[in-house]
Amino acid sequence: MDDRLTLGRRRFLQAAGLATLGGALAGCGGDGGGAAPPEPTQPAPAEVFTEPASTLSGALSILMWSHFVPAHDLWFDPWVKQWGSRVGVNVTVDHINYAELPARTQAEIQANQGHDLILHIAPVPQYEQSVLDLADVATEAGTRHGEQLDLCRRSSFNPTTKRYFAYSPAWVPDPGDYRRSLWTPVGLADGPLTWDDVLRGGAEIKRTQNVQLGIGMSQEIDSNMAGRALLWSYGASIQDASEQVVINSPQTVAAVEFMTRLYSEAMTPEVFSWNAASNNQGLASGQLSYILNSISAWRTSQETDPEVADDIFFSPALRGPADARVASHVMYNWIVPNFAANPAAAKEFLLHYTDNLALVAWHSKLYDFPAFPDVVPDLDGWLDADPFGARPANKLALLKNATDWSTNVGHPGPANTAEGEVFATFVIPNMFARAARGEATAQEAVADAEAQIRPIFDRWRQRGLIGTGGA
């Protein structure tokens, strides 16, 4: 190993280590510090207010992640409290690192007390029996704003029980993020467009420029999403459209074999121990050439290092032998636990939030996308000419078609309770990691994953929460 690579790894580990310190660094967006952000080129959208259907009172407590674009939370907290003052409700908001949110939610559910409203950023169907059915919210939102994206409906609705275990008014695309200066010398100035491009170009960049790829195989959300994208691109999946387990297939084995080769030729062992910030930190620091992620690292770089921001570009879902498909990077799942003391206020706020998805998109700097597209009519125009200082201004234009190459966790079936548990227990990234580390052959790693997944599906099927035939 030459000295440059040793130094590069040391710098990368230092950057990844900083991300574990907490605060905003613990999220995919980095710290948001440094120079002042670019001034918007136009004013924010106007707020919309609809009188609640009934008189509200009391308190409303909200638990949510610390947004990966910190500007969102600076806007959100006073905004929701102002809404509460207007409708007679005292609103409090608690933000925590997303990595801590599942355990905190489970603890509150087990204690049968806690927050009235909780926001997760991945589907949480496994909580269905512990939360209120939000069909009334989804129905009213549809009446006001038209059809909800199927991507979001399938991430919040259980077709077997006909219940909305969550409400999904927003989502976040998951493009490829790449450093153009690294990919241009290998003939891919527009970034990799296929998984074969990633392997060929990524291996050459690592060999000639000592910079690795950033596709994780760790117990965190980005690794979960990346592994599913690779499976789908090979025509593999955990379940089929009828919610039957189909993970043990030649297509899955081929995907695992590909990831093993990708790791061997283009990555290093850090990918096995990442948290959700690590790939963003590595991309921004120049220690990674490509990641599967949102736009948050780039937004942070606009403030911390504009030169780096100008070098980060985006590409759509990578094409494999069978498809070009990724999961949403973030899928909002708002849940109201059965113990909620003020469910009426929680539901009314969700409708107010939906009415103002244009503000949500704006204050997240186009990170959050609407599940009801008509509510944000200016989104395509913003993506064509970024109001927040992208160079070039149309850098995000490819995201206008993101719904064409994005799907739900559980594809080609719904995000059911079994898929939720498989996601929460990181079976898929562990499967890839075992083979990549040489602990098992691809066939053995897939068989082991199947042995973990089938009992999960059987258990939830016995409880009547996933289908026995058609979805």
Side-chain angles (χ1 to χ4, degrees):
M1 182 183 303
D2 68 31
D3 290 341
R4 289 179 301 163
L5 184 53
T6 301
L7 178 61
R9 286 189 180 181
R10 185 180 302 122
R11 286 176 178 165
F12 172 70
L13 287 170
Q14 289 170 345
L18 286 173
T20 66
L21 294 178
L25 272 177
C28 289
D31 62 4
E39 288 293 324
T41 58
Q42 56 186 275
E47 182 174 8
V48 175
F49 178 78
T50 302
E51 286 288 346
S54 59
T55 301
L56 301 178
S57 62
L60 173 66
S61 58
I62 300 174
L63 176 64
M64 60 193 303
W65 64 314
S66 295
H67 201 286
F68 296 155
V69 177
H72 172 277
D73 292 350
L74 294 176
W75 159 76
F76 179 87
D77 291 12
W79 177 73
V80 65
K81 291 175 183 179
Q82 289 167 5
W83 171 82
S85 296
R86 189 169 184 177
V87 300
V89 174
N90 179 32
V91 181
T92 58
V93 183
D94 294 315
H95 295 274
I96 62 174
N97 182 348
Y98 168 70
E100 301 170 3
L101 191 56
R104 176 69 175 272
T105 302
Q106 189 63 37
E108 292 192 2
I109 286 174
Q110 289 178 346
N112 202 37
Q113 61 181 358
H115 293 80
D116 299 297
L117 185 59
I118 303 175
L119 174 60
H120 280 259
I121 62 171
V124 286
Q126 63 270 31
Y127 296 139
E128 180 173 337
Q129 294 178 309
S130 302
V131 300
L132 298 183
D133 180 3
L134 295 181
D136 50 350
V137 177
T139 299
E140 176 60 22
T143 299
R144 295 185 188 186
H145 305 300
E147 188 174 1
Q148 184 184 28
L149 289 178
D150 188 57
L151 164 72
C152 297
R153 183 178 184 274
R154 289 170 68 86
S155 299
S156 54
F157 176 72
N158 185 334
T160 298
T161 62
K162 311 300 182 186
R163 296 180 81 250
Y164 281 85
F165 56 81
Y167 175 59
S168 296
W171 70 291
V172 176
D174 200 31
D177 306 27
Y178 68 96
R179 295 290 296 268
R180 176 165 282 183
S181 64
L182 298 173
W183 287 86
T184 298
V186 299
L188 293 165
D190 292 330
L193 299 178
T194 69
W195 283 99
D196 284 344
D197 286 345
V198 168
L199 175 60
R200 178 181 63 82
E204 182 68 8
I205 290 169
K206 183 172 180 287
R207 185 182 67 82
T208 60
Q209 303 178 61
N210 294 321
V211 179
Q212 70 159 319
L213 283 169
I215 298 177
M217 288 174 274
S218 182
Q219 295 191 7
E220 50 85 30
I221 187 171
D222 294 345
S223 298
N224 246 330
M225 297 304 192
R228 284 161 172 76
L230 179 56
L231 288 178
W232 296 328
S233 78
Y234 270 78
S237 60
I238 296 169
Q239 65 177 1
D240 62 17
S242 299
E243 301 177 273
Q244 305 300 311
V245 176
V246 293
I247 185 70
N248 196 345
S249 69
Q251 293 82 5
T252 303
V253 172
V256 173
E257 290 173 340
F258 177 88
M259 182 68 93
T260 300
R261 184 180 174 193
L262 188 64
Y263 167 72
S264 174
E265 298 185 22
M267 295 193 281
T268 54
E270 288 88 358
V271 299
F272 299 124
S273 57
W274 277 355
N275 61 35
S278 300
N279 55 2
N280 287 272
Q281 295 291 332
L283 182 76
S285 68
Q287 302 308 311
L288 296 176
S289 63
Y290 175 93
I291 63 175
L292 280 171
N293 215 294
S294 64
I295 67 171
S296 55
W298 165 68
R299 284 297 191 202
T300 296
S301 295
Q302 285 184 292
E303 301 178 30
T304 59
D305 193 336
E307 185 177 349
V308 166
D310 291 348
D311 190 39
I312 295 175
F313 284 78
F314 304 97
S315 56
L318 295 169
R319 179 160 294 282
D323 199 2
R325 191 77 47 194
V326 294
S328 60
H329 180 70
V330 162
M331 177 56 65
Y332 279 10
N333 259 211
W334 290 92
I335 59 174
V336 180
N338 290 336
F339 58 72
N342 201 344
K347 292 179 178 182
E348 283 292 348
F349 169 68
L350 290 178
L351 291 171
H352 179 67
Y353 179 90
T354 305
D355 291 345
N356 287 281
L357 286 172
L359 278 172
V360 174
W362 179 271
H363 287 286
S364 69
K365 297 185 177 181
L366 312 188
Y367 180 93
D368 293 341
F369 276 39
F372 299 90
D374 290 350
V375 187
V376 193
D378 295 327
L379 180 59
D380 281 359
W382 293 340
L383 296 173
D384 279 330
D386 178 47
F388 303 102
R391 291 190 298 225
N394 67 345
K395 181 173 283 190
L396 300 179
L398 83 160
L399 297 181
K400 292 191 297 183
N401 298 322
T403 53
D404 294 342
W405 38 267
S406 303
T407 192
N408 60 284
V409 170
H411 173 83
N416 58 34
T417 49
E419 285 278 358
E421 184 174 339
V422 172
F423 190 95
T425 52
F426 303 103
V427 176
I428 298 306
N430 290 343
M431 174 185 73
F432 283 113
R434 289 193 66 221
R437 285 195 296 250
E439 298 170 358
T441 66
Q443 291 88 346
E444 290 167 345
V446 172
D448 182 62
E450 180 188 35
Q452 297 173 63
I453 291 170
R454 283 198 178 277
I456 293 172
F457 271 74
D458 290 343
R459 183 168 62 254
W460 288 111
R461 206 182 308 277
Q462 290 167 5
R463 295 169 69 175
L465 292 174
I466 63 175
T468 59

